[in-house]
Amino acid sequence: MSFTQEEQLNDIYNLILTSGTREWERTQLVSAKNALEDGADFSAELSKLEANLRPLAVRNNLTPDVAEFYLKLTGESVNEAADNRVVHSGDDPVYQERAIFAGGCFWCMVESFETMAGIVSVLSGYTGGHVAHPSYDQVSGGYTGHVEAVEIIFDTRIITYEELVALYWQITDPTDAFGQFQDRGSQYRPIIFVQDERQRQIAEDSKQQLIESGKYKQPIVTEIQTAETFWPAENYHQQFYKKQPKRYKQIKRSRQQFLTYQHLKGKVRTVLNKHKKTF
């Protein structure tokens, strides 16, 4: 992707002015801007900026807009996608239903649901908090009480709510009340948000079955709460797995490794429990 000096400089200016840019990131960007305005070598200064951002970039800890800018600096592509906050709406209330799940970073929740047959749309967002129209920085800082979550519109003729709940247990750690995998904090705690009493009963029954299965040694701590206002996240968070596939695969890999190991232990524990009951 072509990325001219003028475009790079415009991006730096815009990121400095963007409210979502963290103060430390803004300091690095301002330093680069001032040096360039004073006549510093452009390539050398951009290389220095890349090196300064790298420690957070490799830990996936840059704010989204700065992360996209960093990918441009390093020559990695960023796939753009339409703003699916606009198209996320049900058009058949008779055969369409909504489900909301929180299970860690919403970046890793979308693909698993979106690629299932019968899914109309999946939207990343925030819910369960006490502030209207929360921003990513507010939620990630733990200031609003929200959790990162996904809202799913699905066709009930093709897929059931029971199947969605079953998948949810497969892609989350129901024993971790303080986050999920590498994502720590109350904004990442696992919660099933139910739309009505039917969904609540399905979720409660499914949770009880999981408890009785003996698959997990630790208690099942996933909460089941009544759905509240779902606030769509900023567009750069939507369909992250398509927009930044390389970065997404790195995050997904570590999450999947943990889940594979946990599920293997669960199978062994289930077999042992059945074996004990026969004696």
Side-chain angles (χ1 to χ4, degrees), residues 31-233:
S31 177
K33 176 188 77 72
N34 291 341
L36 292 171
E37 290 177 346
D38 289 339
D41 180 80
F42 199 92
S43 296
E45 196 58 40
L46 266 289
S47 294
K48 179 180 177 182
L49 177 59
E50 186 275 327
N52 289 340
L53 295 176
R54 190 183 309 150
L56 290 187
V58 297
R59 296 199 299 271
N60 301 314
N61 201 24
L62 292 172
T63 52
D65 282 348
V66 178
E68 289 192 12
F69 174 72
Y70 181 83
L71 289 176
K72 292 180 182 179
L73 284 181
T74 56
E76 298 182 39
S77 63
V78 180
N79 298 328
E80 291 301 327
D83 188 344
N84 68 323
R85 294 174 298 176
V86 176
V87 300
H88 182 77
S89 61
D91 56 9
D92 191 345
V94 176
Y95 294 110
Q96 289 179 0
E97 192 174 324
R98 293 175 186 261
I100 299 177
F101 300 108
C105 176
F106 44 32
W107 289 348
C108 291
M109 293 283 288
V110 175
E111 182 189 20
S112 297
F113 288 108
E114 192 170 73
T115 52
M116 296 182 73
I119 300 301
V120 177
S121 179
V122 180
L123 191 68
S124 296
Y126 318 111
T127 192
H130 51 77
V131 175
H133 304 286
S135 69
Y136 174 73
D137 272 359
Q138 287 177 316
V139 175
S140 62
Y143 308 126
T144 67
H146 291 87
V147 291
E148 291 191 11
V150 291
E151 182 181 69
I152 303 161
I153 300 176
F154 62 101
D155 190 325
T156 57
R157 293 168 296 184
I158 302 173
I159 190 169
T160 66
Y161 184 69
E162 288 91 338
E163 291 174 302
L164 295 180
V165 173
L167 175 59
Y168 172 78
W169 296 125
Q170 290 296 312
I171 63 175
T172 61
D173 178 4
T175 68
D176 190 348
F178 304 103
Q180 290 286 285
F181 314 104
Q182 70 270 31
D183 303 310
R184 312 313 303 163
S186 62
Q187 69 272 28
Y188 297 119
R189 66 192 187 276
I191 305 174
I192 298 175
F193 291 93
V194 295
Q195 305 287 333
D196 51 36
E197 285 307 310
R198 185 187 66 84
Q199 283 194 358
R200 181 182 297 278
Q201 191 61 56
I202 291 171
E204 293 284 5
D205 289 347
S206 182
K207 179 178 177 179
Q208 187 59 38
Q209 290 172 12
L210 188 64
I211 293 172
E212 293 174 357
S213 73
K215 181 179 178 180
Y216 295 97
K217 184 178 181 180
Q218 302 300 322
I220 305 300
V221 297
T222 299
E223 300 175 49
I224 297 174
Q225 297 184 12
T226 301
E228 301 180 27
T229 302
F230 185 88
W231 303 100

Side-chain angles (χ1 to χ4, degrees), residues 3-17:
F3 191 34
T4 66
Q5 290 188 4
E6 182 180 0
E7 289 172 331
Q8 290 173 324
L9 197 55
N10 283 338
D11 276 359
I12 290 174
Y13 287 149
N14 288 334
L15 287 171
I16 290 171
L17 296 174

Side-chain angles (χ1 to χ4, degrees), residues 258-273:
F258 178 89
L259 283 172
T260 299
Y261 177 64
Q262 188 181 60
H263 292 164
L264 178 61
K265 289 196 302 180
K267 288 180 180 179
V268 172
R269 187 173 293 111
T270 301
V271 171
L272 290 176
N273 288 339

